[in-house]
Amino acid sequence: MVAAGSTTRSDGQWSQNSQQSSVGEAIQEKVRALASTVASRLLARWRGTLDHCSPSEDVARDFDEECAHAGLSGLLSTAREVGERTEALGAAAIRGFAEVDGGAAATFLARLAASLPWSHAHVEPPAVDGWSAACPSRRQQELIWAWGWRDGLAMTVCVPKGDTWWFELVPARNLECVEIHQRMGLRACPSAWVRVYRGQQETALEVANDILQHWRALLAAWWGVIALTRGQVALDEAKKYASTRYQGGAVLVEHALVQEMLARAQAGLMAAEVLLERGFSGDSTSLTMGARWAARAGEEAARMAQQIFGGYGYMRDYPVERCVRDAKTAAAAGGVLVRYRPTTAEIAATPESMASSEREEVFGQGGSRCARE
């Protein structure tokens, strides 16, 4: 009877977890659809020229207005209210933007990253710009790289102070844009070198090293979501093209080599999706490995789609060449192809019998070393 009772409680717990999972997936789907709608409105406002014009602060300003109107500006606060994980809800919104435009997704990621420390500390700062993640210029230490830049916004800057890390909210009056960067992909997201004039900051927050390492892995995973989604968009376009393009006595999709290319690219995307889903649910190992795999799979899928298009894949008349540029830029922005290579190697070599705390220690040390290098 005790065994039967235990089974009943187990079944009840499983049912409750299943219901919670279904509710979480429904919320994520709503956020994804809302983000996709916002990106489509922004694309319509700029008449589809986001990729053809130079990076502009006006685009970022319109983006912030659309997000505020849709209620996406307070996504992290919403996640706390509904009891949903920030990682998963942020990834859903980023995916929705990336399905329409990679640059819009990058701008939203910059806003999320800038708000992440303050949301964790339950501090409500004014609107902030992209989190620089302590990325100063080697030539001039007062210059900091900023994603999603636009004039008039405060910036969250991560700086080392001795053996600890601090987040500082630098007010707009202490910032000066030096140069708007011209990039290959994600062109709707203006990025810039910004000069920071040191002074009294409005808000400062000390952060533990393990939390900082987790945030770094999370941001890399969010960049991986952009690369993954842009790769999927390119692959979907290649499938449609291959089903109508007649060559060699049959449509392309009937050729065995093309089928193998499509299947290999789709398998890589699906594997990365599974790792990221586990990572956003709280598995730090999957989060780190998923970030790297998503960046690689997204870029490879986009390049595979470009090969299927042939010469058309390099023309702006088709969306594939843009997806290739976006996926490659997202992978480089997250640093996942280089920064996390030693980390993933250490995780793969870690025995399964090692305690969870020891695995976390290995992950943390690997991430710190890579960041210093």
Side-chain angles (χ1 to χ4, degrees):
M1 294 179 62
V2 174
S6 300
T7 303
T8 302
R9 285 194 297 271
S10 177
D11 292 343
Q13 184 179 5
W14 179 88
S15 177
Q16 183 179 4
N17 292 338
S18 178
Q19 292 177 358
Q20 293 176 349
S21 177
S22 299
V23 172
E25 291 176 359
I27 294 176
Q28 292 174 27
E29 180 60 27
K30 289 182 179 179
V31 169
R32 186 202 64 77
L34 181 59
S36 181
T37 301
V38 170
S40 298
R41 286 205 299 262
L42 184 66
L43 200 66
R45 177 181 297 187
W46 285 87
R47 299 179 181 178
T49 61
L50 290 180
D51 189 58
H52 299 279
C53 61
S54 299
S56 170
E57 294 182 32
D58 294 335
V59 175
R61 186 172 289 102
D62 287 348
F63 177 87
D64 291 334
E65 292 177 358
E66 288 286 353
C67 285
H69 179 72
L72 287 174
S73 299
L75 183 64
L76 298 182
S77 301
T78 303
R80 292 200 307 267
E81 294 173 0
V82 301
E84 184 66 17
R85 293 189 64 89
T86 300
E87 296 91 336
L89 209 59
I94 292 171
R95 183 186 302 276
F97 281 113
E99 289 173 349
V100 178
D101 183 83
T107 303
F108 188 75
L109 190 155
R111 299 293 185 264
L112 277 185
S115 304
L116 192 60
W118 315 110
S119 176
H120 182 80
H122 301 284
V123 176
E124 295 295 339
V128 290
D129 205 346
W131 178 27
S132 70
C135 182
S137 168
R138 294 182 179 180
R139 295 173 298 176
Q140 295 177 293
Q141 293 298 315
E142 71 275 11
L143 294 184
I144 289 183
W145 181 264
W147 281 95
W149 166 261
R150 77 172 175 86
D151 190 36
L153 289 183
M155 180 188 296
T156 302
V157 181
C158 181
V159 294
K161 292 184 178 180
D163 296 332
T164 61
W165 291 84
W166 285 77
F167 287 100
E168 295 181 351
L169 187 63
V170 183
R173 62 179 178 273
N174 289 359
L175 301 172
E176 178 188 3
C177 179
V178 176
E179 179 185 2
I180 297 290
H181 186 237
Q182 302 292 327
R183 287 194 318 277
M184 176 179 65
L186 307 178
R187 291 179 58 83
C189 176
S191 55
W193 284 112
V194 179
R195 177 173 285 110
V196 179
Y197 295 96
R198 311 303 299 178
Q200 184 178 2
Q201 311 304 330
E202 294 182 355
T203 309
L205 176 67
E206 184 179 5
V207 61
N209 186 64
D210 57 340
I211 296 179
L212 180 65
Q213 297 303 329
H214 173 71
W215 285 345
R216 281 176 171 167
L218 174 59
L219 294 188
W222 279 346
W223 282 112
V225 169
I226 296 180
L228 187 73
T229 305
R230 298 306 289 170
Q232 185 65 67
V233 170
L235 197 62
D236 291 342
E237 292 291 335
K239 291 176 182 177
K240 292 188 291 185
Y241 177 79
S243 63
T244 58
R245 174 69 173 177
Y246 190 85
Q247 186 172 334
V251 291
L252 285 178
V253 76
E254 295 181 0
H255 291 278
L257 181 58
V258 174
Q259 293 176 359
E260 181 183 356
M261 294 169 65
L262 291 172
R264 190 189 313 157
Q266 189 64 64
L269 293 175
M270 293 176 66
E273 182 72 27
V274 172
L275 280 173
L276 285 178
E277 184 176 348
R278 290 180 56 184
F280 293 140
S281 298
D283 186 351
S284 60
T285 300
S286 297
L287 187 67
T288 304
M289 300 186 72
R292 174 170 168 77
W293 188 257
R296 169 177 285 183
E299 188 176 351
E300 289 183 353
R303 290 191 177 279
M304 202 79 74
Q306 192 176 44
Q307 292 181 31
I308 293 175
F309 268 85
Y312 289 148
Y314 295 87
M315 299 177 61
R316 286 184 175 269
D317 297 339
Y318 295 86
V320 171
E321 66 88 25
R322 181 179 180 183
C323 291
V324 173
R325 292 186 285 108
D326 285 350
K328 190 173 185 64
T329 304
V336 291
L337 297 183
V338 176
R339 179 185 301 171
Y340 288 97
R341 185 173 299 168
T343 305
T344 51
E346 290 172 352
I347 291 174
T350 301
E352 289 296 329
S353 58
M354 182 178 289
S356 175
S357 60
E358 294 176 342
R359 290 200 300 269
E360 292 292 335
E361 184 179 357
V362 170
F363 165 68
Q365 291 174 355
S368 298
R369 182 172 67 254
C370 294
R372 288 194 297 269
E373 294 174 354

Coordinates of all heavy atoms in Angstrom, one line a residue, residues 6-18:
S6 N 2.9 5.9 -2.9 CA 4.1 6.7 -3.5 C 3.9 6.9 -5.0 O 4.2 8.0 -5.5 CB 5.4 5.9 -3.2 OG 5.6 5.8 -1.8
T7 N 3.4 5.9 -5.7 CA 3.1 6.0 -7.1 C 2.1 7.1 -7.4 O 2.3 7.9 -8.3 CB 2.7 4.7 -7.7 OG1 3.6 3.7 -7.4 CG2 2.5 4.8 -9.2
T8 N 1.1 7.2 -6.5 CA 0.0 8.2 -6.7 C 0.6 9.6 -6.6 O 0.3 10.5 -7.4 CB -1.1 7.9 -5.8 OG1 -1.6 6.6 -5.9 CG2 -2.2 9.0 -6.0
R9 N 1.4 9.8 -5.5 CA 2.0 11.1 -5.3 C 2.9 11.4 -6.5 O 3.0 12.6 -6.9 CB 2.7 11.1 -4.0 CG 1.8 11.2 -2.8 CD 2.6 11.5 -1.5 NE 3.6 10.5 -1.3 CZ 3.4 9.4 -0.5 NH1 2.2 9.2 0.0 NH2 4.4 8.6 -0.3
S10 N 3.6 10.4 -7.0 CA 4.5 10.7 -8.1 C 3.8 11.1 -9.3 O 4.1 12.0 -10.0 CB 5.4 9.4 -8.4 OG 6.2 9.6 -9.5
D11 N 2.7 10.4 -9.6 CA 1.8 10.7 -10.7 C 1.2 12.1 -10.6 O 1.2 12.9 -11.6 CB 0.7 9.7 -10.9 CG 1.2 8.3 -11.3 OD1 2.4 8.2 -11.7 OD2 0.5 7.3 -11.1
G12 N 0.8 12.4 -9.4 CA 0.3 13.8 -9.2 C 1.3 14.9 -9.4 O 1.1 15.9 -10.0
Q13 N 2.6 14.6 -8.9 CA 3.6 15.6 -9.1 C 3.9 15.7 -10.6 O 4.2 16.8 -11.1 CB 4.9 15.1 -8.4 CG 6.0 16.1 -8.4 CD 7.2 15.7 -7.6 OE1 7.2 14.6 -7.1 NE2 8.2 16.5 -7.5
W14 N 4.0 14.6 -11.3 CA 4.2 14.6 -12.7 C 3.2 15.4 -13.5 O 3.5 16.2 -14.4 CB 4.3 13.2 -13.3 CG 4.5 13.2 -14.8 CD1 5.7 13.2 -15.4 CD2 3.5 13.2 -15.8 NE1 5.5 13.2 -16.8 CE2 4.2 13.2 -17.1 CE3 2.1 13.2 -15.8 CZ2 3.5 13.2 -18.3 CZ3 1.5 13.2 -17.0 CH2 2.2 13.2 -18.2
S15 N 1.9 15.2 -13.1 CA 0.8 16.0 -13.7 C 0.9 17.4 -13.5 O 0.7 18.3 -14.3 CB -0.5 15.4 -13.2 OG -1.6 16.2 -13.7
Q16 N 1.3 17.8 -12.2 CA 1.5 19.2 -11.9 C 2.6 19.8 -12.7 O 2.5 21.0 -13.2 CB 1.7 19.4 -10.4 CG 1.8 20.8 -9.9 CD 2.1 21.0 -8.4 OE1 2.2 19.9 -7.8 NE2 2.1 22.2 -7.9
N17 N 3.7 19.1 -12.8 CA 4.9 19.6 -13.5 C 4.5 19.8 -15.0 O 5.0 20.7 -15.7 CB 6.1 18.7 -13.4 CG 6.6 18.7 -12.0 OD1 6.4 19.7 -11.2 ND2 7.4 17.7 -11.6
S18 N 3.7 18.8 -15.5 CA 3.3 18.9 -16.9 C 2.4 20.1 -17.2 O 2.6 20.8 -18.2 CB 2.6 17.6 -17.3 OG 2.1 17.6 -18.6

